Amino acid sequence: MKELTVKACLWPDVVRVREEDRPKGRANGSTVYAVFRDGELSADFCGVATHHDISLHPGWIFADLVEHRKLAAVPVGAGIRTALKTMRKHGMEVLAVMSRDEFVGVVTRESILQALLERDRQLLLESVRLRDIAEENHRQTVIWVERLAALNEAARSLLGVLARTSIETELLQAGLDALRKLLDADFGAIGIVDEHGGMAEFIYSGISEAQAKQIGELPQGKGLLGVVIEEDISLRLSDMRSDPRSIGFPPHHPPMKSLLAVPISRHGRVYGRIYLCDKVGGEAFSANDEELAASFAHSLSLVIDNAREMEEVKRARQRLDYMAHFDALTDLPNRTLLTDRALQFIARAQRKREVVAFLFLDLDNFKTINDSFGHTVGDELLREVAKRIASCLREGDTPARMGGDEFIIMLPGIKDSLDAAKVAVKILGLLNEPFVINQHQIYSRASIGISVFPENSGNLDELLAQADSALYHAKKLGKNNYQFFTSEMNSTAQRYLQLEHHLRCALGQGELSLYYQPQVQIDSRAVIGMEALLRWHSPTLGMVMPDQFIGLAEETGLIVPIGEWVLRTACEQAQCWRETGTPVRVAVNLSGRQFQDFQHQRGLLDVVATVLAETGLPAELLELEITESIMMRDVDTTLATLQGLKRLGVRISVDDFGTGYSSLSYLKRFPLDTLKIDKAFVKDVSTDDSDRAIVAAITAMAGQLKLELVAEGIEDLEQLVFLSGQRCNYGQGYYFSKPVPVEQATALLKPGALSE
């Protein structure tokens, strides 16, 4: 007989994935994942992963799952003996099948067994068909062939259980259904008991869901069924009602006459029982029926025994894998797992031009704590330090314990080295808070050294050595600080963090103030509005200009409380001017972060309404300026918010117009009052034909839409003359006045203050 090849035994459930993907959702236990490096999922095959691998390492990407396993494969024309020998050699249950360098599929022990079963069944049917026997014998043979086919189907279910190394309800159900039909029984059930004799699993066949619901409880395992389990014997009764032991079935169980019950046991250990009731024709169960049921039960006992043994093996492997890749004290990855992940992330960063940072952390006074409080307290401190470090990180970051009181934190996919500094500051701040361990209050500081890929090096060992060197430098500088491997990174990060620290204190310490720049009617030179502009005078840093700190305030979220302070202060000043007889509207800029946070928290409408009510300023004297980019970010939400502001009576202005991407159709929808031509177009308007054309077009459009137009950045008379000729009625810029403190701004409100 010609040997089967692996091509005839390919496993049907294979899914192709990329090495950087993660398993999603609950994986099907039968699914095998073919892992590829390229985006087309057709070349650069690098291995297979199974449900077993995923259950052992649920957080790993597919590259992790195949990294430690040798890529074993057989050619598509290899025989099954070769495949099984290769599986045994490498201790594998799944084997890749290749045609030269192209991935064809996988073969498993189960797929080989299924192929063998199918071939044997076909051979048996063929032999029966060709056998020249008497008609009666032929009829009996066909009946047995059909029975064998049904039993073969049950065996397939059992093989499925065996392949999955666990007892799965749907597979037990399939096996029981096949057995019941094979023996022509009305009703059948499989009961699996736990270690204490209680019912762990109960599967029935031959009754409807409504009948099962009416029964409502499982058989108690007493009487006849108890005898099967307790004495490990089979029972075959033609009329079970005559047996005094016929108890233990629920009251609403269907009536039964004949009974066949066999134990599921192996080497004196009973795992449960199978029982079948009432043959369809009314006759009693035969000795052949008992033999078939016992054979089925024996196979099932092998499966259960194997499943439980495999569970033990699985737990042992998990323990060994855990010991190989994780630190037993802190549950953090160890050096081995960190190295594996770091090499993968560095390779990915090279392809995608990303940045990866490594933070080498060492506790500053750990030896003193160990000597003073003992190693038990020291170990608990390390566990708590690990938790605090992990709480500062993103999901994709990797904190690892290197041994002793040393930790390494890998930060993949960051924007730049500044992100690493922020994480270091956050960790140091959290570790500076006291730990309470065994009623002792313990203070533990740390020092951190930082290296960055690719700026410092492209080699992992060098990056770790550089981070260690930076850590040593941090220790020399007095501990409880961080240092980059290069001085340039240190200076940039420290300047940024110093600025952030002072900005956080600026609002509470009264360091912020508003300057005002007039908006002027070009023909009459009358001041028609004042734009409020933020200034910061730090006692430590001196005068800090907006372009140096506004971006920082946006990034940190400080712009939200600062923006509300600006709004309130500007409204208070406008009300003051109104009360002194020089009413003038005040313009306040809203940043993107302010607009977004206001929408999702208290609501911009509530904030503006509250400020207006508390300051007493009429709404028409407040103008809110937003940029085109803010306006177009979420059109529907922005439109609803602006309409709400208009209902309050507040004016809406679009700042830096011409630099964004708004269209005329959207401009028509928004309830706008003013467009402000960006100063970039005004700067060369007297000499550049393109700028002239743009300003002329904006002016014409504003006229058609009946919007006021303010030209920003007017610095000389030539610009003013051109704009006046284009019927741009309002202007703002150094030609009239630079931004000035409130006292000088008040003086500009006097009639004739800006006359020629």
Side-chain angles (χ1 to χ4, degrees), residues 53 60 258 340 359 448 527 662:
D53 299 321
W60 286 17
S258 60
D340 289 345
L359 281 62
I448 298 176
V527 176
S662 60

Side-chain angles (χ1 to χ4, degrees), residues 683-715:
K683 179 181 178 183
D684 297 321
V685 75
S686 56
T687 58
D688 188 282
D689 290 339
S690 296
D691 287 343
R692 285 173 177 265
I694 291 172
V695 171
I698 294 175
T699 304
M701 181 184 65
Q704 290 295 321
L705 296 175
K706 296 182 173 54
L707 299 176
E708 287 188 5
L709 192 64
V710 177
E712 295 184 288
I714 299 175
E715 297 183 353

Side-chain angles (χ1 to χ4, degrees), residues 261-282:
V262 295
I264 304 169
S265 61
R266 176 171 165 78
H267 298 318
R269 183 176 181 181
V270 181
Y271 297 111
R273 83 275 172 154
I274 301 172
Y275 71 90
L276 299 143
C277 301
D278 295 345
K279 297 198 69 158
V280 173

Side-chain angles (χ1 to χ4, degrees), residues 88-109:
R88 285 194 299 272
K89 178 180 178 181
H90 296 287
M92 302 173 69
E93 297 295 324
V94 179
L95 199 61
V97 178
M98 307 291 289
S99 176
R100 297 182 180 177
D101 293 331
E102 182 179 352
F103 174 77
V104 175
V106 301
V107 65
T108 69
R109 292 182 187 276

Side-chain angles (χ1 to χ4, degrees), residues 103-409:
F103 174 77
V104 175
V106 301
V107 65
T108 69
R109 292 182 187 276
E110 183 180 354
S111 67
I112 292 173
L113 288 171
Q114 287 179 344
L116 287 170
L117 280 170
E118 179 61 24
R119 187 180 68 172
D120 291 345
R121 190 176 76 86
Q122 294 296 332
L123 288 173
L124 180 58
L125 288 172
E126 181 67 15
S127 66
V128 169
R129 189 182 66 82
L130 297 175
R131 191 172 300 166
D132 186 13
I133 58 176
E135 182 178 345
E136 179 60 24
N137 289 338
H138 178 72
R139 188 182 68 83
Q140 292 295 331
T141 303
V142 170
I143 291 173
W144 275 103
V145 168
E146 291 174 348
R147 288 191 171 192
L148 286 172
L151 187 59
N152 180 44
E153 194 61 36
R156 286 176 182 273
S157 297
L158 290 173
L159 285 172
V161 177
L162 184 62
R164 289 159 179 77
T165 70
S166 63
I167 303 300
E168 298 184 12
T169 302
E170 64 272 15
L171 296 174
L172 284 177
Q173 186 71 60
L176 176 61
D177 289 342
L179 181 63
R180 183 179 66 83
K181 291 177 182 177
L182 177 67
L183 301 184
D184 292 331
D186 274 343
F187 176 81
I190 295 176
I192 308 295
V193 296
D194 58 25
E195 296 177 354
H196 307 291
M199 193 63 65
E201 189 85 30
F202 187 78
I203 308 297
Y204 58 83
S205 177
I207 65 171
S208 65
E209 291 186 10
Q211 287 177 303
K213 187 175 181 181
Q214 186 180 18
I215 294 173
E217 58 181 284
L218 301 178
Q220 299 173 16
K222 300 177 182 178
L224 289 171
L225 299 181
V227 169
V228 173
I229 291 178
E230 292 167 6
E231 300 183 16
D232 191 13
I233 60 172
S234 298
L235 291 177
R236 181 162 49 90
L237 302 174
S238 58
D239 188 355
M240 60 180 291
R241 293 171 295 182
S242 62
D243 195 298
R245 300 171 296 178
S246 299
I247 59 173
F249 288 92
H252 299 290
H253 196 286
M256 297 175 292
K257 183 179 179 183
S258 60
L259 173 71
L260 173 59
V262 295
I264 304 169
S265 61
R266 176 171 165 78
H267 298 318
R269 183 176 181 181
V270 181
Y271 297 111
R273 83 275 172 154
I274 301 172
Y275 71 90
L276 299 143
C277 301
D278 295 345
K279 297 198 69 158
V280 173
E283 69 268 25
F285 289 99
S286 67
N288 283 338
D289 293 335
E290 182 179 341
E291 184 178 349
L292 284 170
S295 175
F296 187 95
H298 175 69
S299 298
L300 187 54
S301 71
L302 292 173
V303 171
I304 296 174
D305 193 56
N306 178 72
R308 295 186 178 177
E309 181 180 345
M310 290 301 294
E311 282 297 317
E312 287 297 322
V313 171
K314 178 181 175 181
R315 285 193 288 268
R317 286 178 177 173
Q318 286 175 329
R319 288 193 294 269
L320 289 173
D321 183 77
Y322 178 87
M323 292 170 63
H325 295 94
F326 290 87
D327 174 56
L329 179 65
T330 62
D331 289 330
L332 294 181
N334 61 13
R335 181 187 289 270
T336 301
L337 184 53
L338 173 73
T339 300
D340 289 345
R341 290 185 182 179
L343 291 173
Q344 292 172 26
F345 277 112
I346 288 175
R348 174 181 172 177
Q350 285 174 329
R351 296 195 304 269
K352 298 189 175 183
R353 297 182 180 180
E354 294 178 339
V355 177
V356 183
F358 293 89
L359 281 62
F360 204 133
L361 181 149
D362 181 85
L363 299 182
D364 290 334
N365 55 341
F366 184 68
K367 184 177 185 304
T368 303
I369 293 171
N370 249 348
D371 293 343
S372 302
F373 299 100
H375 290 283
T376 301
V377 172
D379 287 348
E380 184 61 29
L381 173 63
L382 290 173
R383 281 190 283 266
E384 292 301 316
V385 166
K387 290 177 184 177
R388 291 193 185 183
I389 291 173
S391 71
C392 298
L393 306 179
R394 305 165 300 173
E395 183 180 353
D397 299 336
T398 299
R401 183 183 177 218
M402 307 302 284
D405 60 339
E406 292 182 340
F407 299 83
I408 285 184
I409 300 102

